[in-house]
Amino acid sequence: MDDSKRLTEKEKAKLDNLFKALSIVGAGKYIFLCDLKKNVSRWSKTAVNYFALPGEYMYDAGNIWEQHIHPDDREKYHDSIEKVFSGVNAGHDMQYRAQNAEGRYVICSCRGMVLSDEDGNDRYFGGSITNIGGSDLQDPLTGLRNQYGLFDDLKLILQKEQPCLIMMVGINSFSQINNIYGYEFGDRLIMEVGARLRDLSSETCQLYHFDGSRFVVVSDKSSVDCFTKGYAKFTDDLANFGQMDGKRLSLSASAGMLILNFFGGDVQSLLSCLNYSFDESKRRRNGDLVIFDNKLDGNKKATLDKIATIRSCITQNFAGFSLNYQPVVNAEDERIVGAEALLRWQNDEYGMVPPNDFIPVLERDNLFPKLGRWILRQALTDAKEFIRRDPNFVINVNASYSQFEKSNFVADVVEALKETGVLPKNLCIEITERCRLLDLEQLKQITRDLRAMGVRIAMDDFGTGFSSINTLRHINVDVVKIDREFIKNIEADRRDCGLVRIITELSSVFGAKVCVEGIENERTAEIIRPYGVFSMQGYLFSKPVCFKDFCALNVQLNQK
Ligand code: C2E
Ligand code: MG
Ligand code: MG
């Protein structure tokens, strides 16, 4: 600092005195006082430490402070300060987000005013800053609105029936980055990614930090093309991310998008569909942008409305839900050895909606475990009658991703068995393909606990999707179910016979029996039988039927 900018002893004493006076007034706040003639300020020591400022006495503190203010708030701050100095306003009173020593943004309420000297000239600018901290709608890390802010904004959009585009973007393998480099590094990365997304988003977009490494962009003005190009640019940028803290990073992303047009539902349904398309991008589409088009179906009803109706039925005592049962027969003599419980949903407006139309979307929904518990209880209650007739009868119940993800799945099974009085050996839990996307350790633990109780485990949809063989290597299962995909062309394509043989051999290596699904005719059954499969399921024996019909069928088939 050159001498002309240095405070004289007298000036310093005056600044300190005034500062002291302000400090009394503003106890519990940060105080700042600037000698405008010399542009030298004094700031509270607590502020210096909290925001990592250069010192209690700073030259050009206004500029230094401005660098701490969130980029989105800087203009607002600048305007306000300028109005004070130009005499338009006598003081300023505003809120902005400022970055603290840890790099997090906190909300600050700032009040300041200009004080004149004895000659009436503007001489000091002083005031207080109150650290409000993070707000419940704002993420302190990025300074962006958080998911609660998003929920609020989406509610408004829905109220106004405003067509818009909603995109969820996330960094792949972010938890690995946290594990390798630590959470502090992870936090800084989130801030950096947030900043890059902000740069990419146009002014018509609102950006949110959803959770972890996920961000959401909403716009009622942008086009699908704009979003697609923006995402392509973003992924390019991530692939060439460059260095951070001396670490060279090459990152990738996943993204799901929702085209919201005709929709009278709620925010949660909307998020279920958004989560679903994001998950599809991440797990199956290698990060390609997956678009959930809320198109109209045959009933002139948009898909989202249907999801919203189904969700509300879950909360209304499972209105419209029922279970059908499809027999599982012994491959040798075709006697019924068990049944698979299959979910159905019917409603006046939509008719009978097949489970594949809504289970994949709702699987990640918070409500699904509730439905899952209902399915389990209902299936076990109905199975009591089947077991009464055949004590070795096994009821198969499909479990979904979100049920396994929740830590209390095993406890739910224990409770349902206890309540219904069904023995564990009469229950088989089917791990569907999407469950296998879960963390292997978690899957191992759940299946180990269930098998320890005597509950059987079947691996459903074997051979479809990812990681069937790897899962089989790591978890013990009682039954491997070969998907219909491998069976449907078996008459025409003998290579599929080879696949069935290999899967059967592989399963026996791991001590599992094989059930072949989708047997539609006698010829297919004949082709399959020599391969040593244990059981079969398919329209040849029966389509899935309601409880009453299954009871009748049970008698019929077993008396053949
Ligand atoms: P999945 O568990 O593999 O169930 C077998 C599906 O194949 C059923 O379809 C069944 O109706 C159908 N199927 C059986 N035999 C034949 C056949 O010979 N030919 C043909 N073309 N299809 C046959 P569904 O009931 O539509 O269920 C589809 C999927 O939805 C199920 O596949 C399962 O992944 C899921 N799902 C059904 N119910 C539940 C449930 O209660 N919970 C969970 N988490 N998922 C369920
Ligand atoms: Mg199944
Ligand atoms: Mg299956």
Side-chain angles (χ1 to χ4, degrees):
M1 202 192 293
D2 67 46
D3 277 343
S4 65
K5 288 172 186 153
R6 216 179 280 277
L7 296 178
T8 61
E9 277 304 318
K10 213 170 141 197
E11 284 170 330
K12 183 170 181 297
K14 200 153 182 197
L15 185 78
D16 285 346
N17 265 338
L18 271 168
F19 190 83
K20 230 186 200 163
L22 274 174
S23 303
I24 292 164
V25 176
K29 297 177 177 177
Y30 310 123
I31 306 300
F32 62 89
L33 184 63
C34 176
D35 182 324
L36 293 170
K37 199 164 140 201
K38 296 283 173 77
N39 199 9
V40 172
S41 305
R42 186 172 168 192
W43 282 57
S44 302
K45 198 166 170 34
T46 44
V48 172
N49 293 339
Y50 187 78
F51 293 104
L53 299 171
E56 275 179 81
Y57 295 91
M58 286 177 280
Y59 174 68
D60 202 9
N63 242 330
I64 296 171
W65 184 235
E66 200 169 312
Q67 297 314 308
H68 283 257
I69 292 177
H70 194 283
D72 288 352
D73 297 344
R74 268 181 212 161
E75 213 180 334
K76 191 171 70 172
Y77 169 79
H78 213 89
D79 265 350
S80 171
I81 288 286
E82 222 152 65
K83 278 189 181 129
V84 175
F85 289 119
S86 62
V88 175
N89 289 341
H92 94 148
D93 182 357
M94 65 174 301
Q95 273 196 7
Y96 48 65
R97 293 159 289 179
Q99 199 168 37
N100 67 13
E102 288 166 11
R104 287 177 187 274
Y105 282 101
V106 288
I107 299 170
C108 293
S109 167
C110 180
R111 283 183 177 169
M113 66 183 295
V114 176
L115 308 168
S116 322
D117 62 13
E118 308 85 293
D119 304 319
N121 299 321
D122 288 348
R123 183 61 203 264
Y124 298 100
F125 177 63
S128 67
I129 296 170
T130 310
N131 180 349
I132 298 174
S135 103
D136 54 346
L137 300 182
Q138 204 143 26
D139 165 47
L141 189 61
T142 55
L144 297 169
R145 275 170 87 67
N146 60 20
Q147 55 172 292
Y148 305 106
L150 172 70
F151 297 165
D152 274 8
D153 295 351
L154 289 179
K155 263 184 224 152
L156 267 179
I157 286 175
L158 289 177
Q159 267 168 24
K160 287 197 262 170
E161 298 184 0
Q162 178 101 58
C164 69
L165 299 177
I166 309 168
M167 179 160 79
M168 180 179 275
V169 189
I171 305 297
N172 296 334
S173 311
F174 181 67
S175 51
Q176 255 165 289
I177 294 173
N178 267 337
N179 288 342
I180 297 170
Y181 299 122
Y183 283 95
E184 259 181 55
F185 183 88
D187 278 359
R188 277 200 301 284
L189 182 62
I190 295 294
M191 288 190 262
E192 176 61 30
V193 170
R196 291 187 188 200
L197 269 173
R198 194 168 345 151
D199 288 345
L200 271 175
S201 319
S202 71
E203 274 167 21
T204 57
C205 297
Q206 175 74 40
L207 183 63
Y208 304 81
H209 181 208
F210 192 75
D211 62 6
S213 76
R214 293 196 294 176
F215 293 82
V216 169
V217 192
V218 178
S219 176
D220 57 359
K221 304 242 166 37
S222 273
S223 63
V224 173
D225 189 46
C226 225
F227 265 47
T228 311
K229 284 188 181 136
Y231 179 61
K233 233 178 179 175
F234 178 63
T235 48
D236 275 356
D237 186 37
L238 288 183
N240 307 302
F241 190 84
Q243 291 211 356
M244 205 177 91
D245 293 358
K247 281 144 194 139
R248 181 160 290 285
L249 296 172
S250 173
L251 303 169
S252 65
S254 302
M257 182 162 102
L258 204 65
I259 303 174
L260 190 66
N261 27 35
F262 352 79
F263 181 49
D266 59 316
V267 171
Q268 286 305 325
S269 308
L270 213 142
L271 283 169
S272 279
C273 299
L274 189 62
N275 267 324
Y276 167 72
S277 49
F278 176 79
D279 265 18
E280 284 291 299
S281 162
K282 184 169 173 176
R283 318 249 183 217
R284 290 172 211 267
R285 301 275 294 277
N286 238 337
D288 282 352
L289 176 63
V290 171
I291 301 178
F292 186 104
D293 195 347
N294 185 29
K295 54 184 179 292
L296 293 173
D297 67 12
N299 294 328
K300 288 269 177 288
K301 277 283 169 187
T303 319
L304 259 164
D305 285 80
K306 186 158 70 188
I307 296 293
T309 312
I310 296 176
R311 281 189 94 258
S312 72
C313 284
I314 298 178
T315 58
Q316 287 159 33
N317 213 14
F318 310 99
F321 286 100
S322 63
L323 291 181
N324 272 359
Y325 297 93
Q326 184 177 39
V328 177
V329 305
N330 182 294
E332 294 280 304
D333 57 16
E334 295 186 8
R335 286 178 77 83
I336 295 179
V337 290
E340 177 171 7
L342 293 158
L343 188 64
R344 299 289 176 260
W345 182 76
Q346 190 165 17
N347 146 299
D348 291 346
E349 217 172 322
Y350 296 98
M352 180 68 86
V353 179
N356 277 337
D357 273 17
F358 63 91
I359 288 180
V361 178
L362 286 186
E363 242 180 0
R364 291 292 307 269
D365 196 293
N366 288 339
L367 273 183
F368 200 87
K370 189 176 156 87
L371 180 63
R373 278 193 292 277
W374 178 85
I375 295 168
L376 187 61
R377 256 185 198 66
Q378 190 61 46
L380 289 178
T381 308
D382 288 348
K384 275 171 29 180
E385 175 57 22
F386 313 149
I387 296 164
R388 194 184 60 75
R389 297 170 186 213
D390 171 8
N392 292 320
F393 188 97
V394 176
I395 181 78
N396 284 27
V397 178
N398 292 284
S400 79
Y401 188 95
S402 59
Q403 286 172 279
F404 267 28
E405 213 182 14
K406 299 262 178 296
S407 56
N408 49 5
F409 180 69
V410 177
D412 282 349
V413 173
V414 173
E415 203 183 299
L417 286 169
K418 216 164 106 190
E419 244 175 54
T420 53
V422 171
L423 297 175
K425 67 160 189 156
N426 296 113
L427 171 65
C428 178
I429 297 290
E430 294 195 7
I431 308 175
T432 53
E433 193 262 325
R434 277 180 301 277
C435 285
R436 302 202 285 274
L437 301 170
L438 276 170
D439 175 43
L440 202 54
E441 280 308 312
Q442 204 175 353
L443 212 52
K444 253 192 214 172
Q445 182 67 47
I446 294 171
T447 49
R448 201 187 293 141
D449 291 353
L450 289 172
R451 289 187 88 240
M453 274 158 49
V455 172
R456 294 162 205 245
I457 301 290
M459 195 188 287
D460 204 0
D461 318 308
F462 190 87
T464 65
F466 298 115
S467 65
S468 293
I469 293 179
N470 194 38
T471 314
L472 197 57
R473 276 179 60 221
H474 289 98
I475 66 168
N476 294 323
V477 303
D478 301 272
V479 179
V480 165
K481 296 187 80 170
I482 301 183
D483 197 72
R484 195 178 95 83
E485 271 304 300
F486 295 95
I487 309 303
K488 62 182 188 204
N489 295 322
I490 207 157
E491 281 182 67
D493 192 344
R494 284 307 169 116
R495 281 177 306 180
D496 282 347
C497 287
L499 272 175
V500 172
R501 184 170 52 79
I502 287 167
I503 297 175
T504 314
E505 281 174 13
L506 187 76
S507 304
S508 74
V509 170
F510 291 102
K513 291 174 179 171
V514 167
C515 172
V516 180
E517 292 188 277
I519 309 265
E520 290 189 348
N521 56 54
E522 201 55 66
R523 180 80 195 109
T524 312
E526 270 169 31
I527 295 171
I528 299 290
R529 215 166 264 128
Y531 294 119
V533 304
F534 171 73
S535 55
M536 294 182 183
Q537 211 178 316
Y539 293 174
L540 172 64
F541 313 105
S542 167
K543 285 196 169 181
V545 292
C546 68
F547 171 75
K548 211 167 116 255
D549 291 352
F550 188 83
C551 290
L553 186 79
N554 205 346
V555 175
Q556 252 178 46
L557 270 175
N558 285 356
Q559 280 176 352
K560 261 211 301 202

